Amino acid sequence: MKKVFIQCFLLLLVLAGCNPPEPEVIVQNPDSDIIEVTKMNERLVVIAQNLNIPWSIDKINDTFYITERTGTITKIEGGQAVRQQVKLDKQLSKAAEAGLMGFALAPNFTNSNRAYAYYTYEDQNGRFNRIVSLILENNVWEEESVLLDKIPSGNVHHGGRIKIGPDGKLYATAGNAAESSLAQNLNSLSGKILRLNLDGSIPADNPFKNSYVYSYGHRNPQGLTWSPEGTMYASEHGNRTNDEINKIEPGLNYGWPVIEGTEGQEGMVTPIFTSGRNNTWAPSGMGYYNGKLYVAALRGNAVLEFILETGETREFVKGLGRVRDVFVEGDTLYFVTNNTDGRGTPQPNDDKLYSISLSE
């Protein structure tokens, strides 16, 4: 009996060796409270976890920088994550949807250690959004200069996305600060997509003289991207439903609050995609790949795929909860969930940074 038991035990060991468990690498940086997990699971890869209300992704070489709405930036590099302090000149707002949001590394970041950020602050004069440059030194980001200040901010609808376009200009989405009429007012920065030089000055070729306004009539735009040919697209939250994906052209009026969804009016632009009257996406960050737009959806709980040629829409990734931002590089899509923002249902170790191949 003992001999049979030993033979069975040895057989089990052999079988276990033929079917090893799925590999999982776990690394904890002793200088950080973030545990990283990289797990190969067919196409979907978890790059990092335990992020704190992540909002924006940028990347240079193999290093990620992710803003967290509470006022930190997480650097992810070489299997480790470091949560970096951000020293801002104004007190960061804790209002709903507010905080440290948009982020873009400078084109010469390797030499300058400079980046650009969009954040909501509060002082004795009220609550506002501003766009600033930041300098990184010894794992601490410090506000260097203000590029654009006093972007109106309400309790919600801050916009917040910034991107450097193919023309080298800095673009920013500004929400309507919950005051719909401001979106049609060209003297207000609310409800607009803004365009500025990297030093904060107004580009000479902006569509409205001496104005940062690039397009207007927006409710709460939160995503920007460009095709390789330079066509610009933006995502926008509708009023409960009628979320929009727009093709953006300088000086045009995108209708809010006069029209929404598929409605049309002379002098106003109807979106190329809309969620319709009975559905909502709450779209946020965007990326472009091979004739398709990939859009983070918060209430849609997915990464959505929009096929520009056919007008089709589908859920490309789902089942992970709220998604805040996407970043496309080569044939890889990166995205962050946003289940810790108070409106989601966090799963263990949320929020996470994922990657998935677009070429398979």
Side-chain angles (χ1 to χ4, degrees), residues 11-28:
L11 179 60
L12 288 173
L13 287 178
V14 171
L15 291 173
C18 294
N19 297 280
E22 186 174 299
E24 179 171 294
V25 180
I26 302 177
V27 179
Q28 181 165 6

Side-chain angles (χ1 to χ4, degrees), residues 24-192:
E24 179 171 294
V25 180
I26 302 177
V27 179
Q28 181 165 6
N29 179 357
D31 297 325
S32 171
D33 62 352
I34 299 173
I35 299 174
E36 316 229 6
V37 177
T38 301
K39 183 175 181 180
M40 298 304 297
N41 181 12
E42 296 182 356
R43 296 175 63 194
L44 193 64
V45 179
V46 179
I47 298 174
Q49 61 182 20
N50 291 326
L51 299 171
N52 188 10
I53 318 180
W55 213 92
S56 183
I57 307 168
D58 208 348
K59 182 176 183 287
I60 182 168
N61 300 322
D62 295 324
T63 303
F64 296 89
Y65 292 91
I66 299 178
T67 54
E68 296 172 310
R69 229 179 65 200
T70 50
T72 51
I73 294 174
T74 292
K75 175 185 177 182
I76 302 164
E77 180 180 41
Q80 294 190 0
V82 176
R83 181 164 281 134
Q84 299 172 324
Q85 182 182 1
V86 182
K87 294 182 178 180
L88 301 172
D89 290 348
K90 295 285 190 176
Q91 181 180 350
L92 198 65
S93 173
K94 296 181 180 179
E97 303 179 10
L100 179 60
M101 293 179 284
F103 182 80
L105 297 169
N108 64 345
F109 173 73
T110 302
N111 296 320
S112 68
N113 279 353
R114 180 177 289 109
Y116 304 96
Y118 184 115
Y119 74 91
T120 313
Y121 70 90
E122 297 186 31
D123 62 16
Q124 65 275 15
N125 297 313
R127 183 184 298 125
F128 302 96
N129 299 300
R130 62 172 14 180
I131 301 170
V132 301
S133 63
L134 303 174
I135 293 292
L136 176 63
E137 186 173 352
N138 297 323
N139 271 332
V140 176
W141 293 89
E142 189 161 357
E143 185 170 325
E144 177 192 33
S145 61
V146 179
L147 278 63
L148 181 57
D149 202 356
K150 297 297 177 67
I151 301 170
S153 174
N155 292 326
V156 290
H157 301 176
H158 312 289
R161 188 69 55 192
I162 60 173
K163 293 280 187 178
I164 296 176
D167 56 1
K169 307 300 182 183
L170 187 63
Y171 292 78
T173 67
N176 66 6
E179 293 188 36
S180 296
S181 62
L182 294 179
Q184 290 293 319
N185 182 352
L186 286 173
N187 293 317
S188 171
L189 297 177
S190 290
K192 312 293 190 299

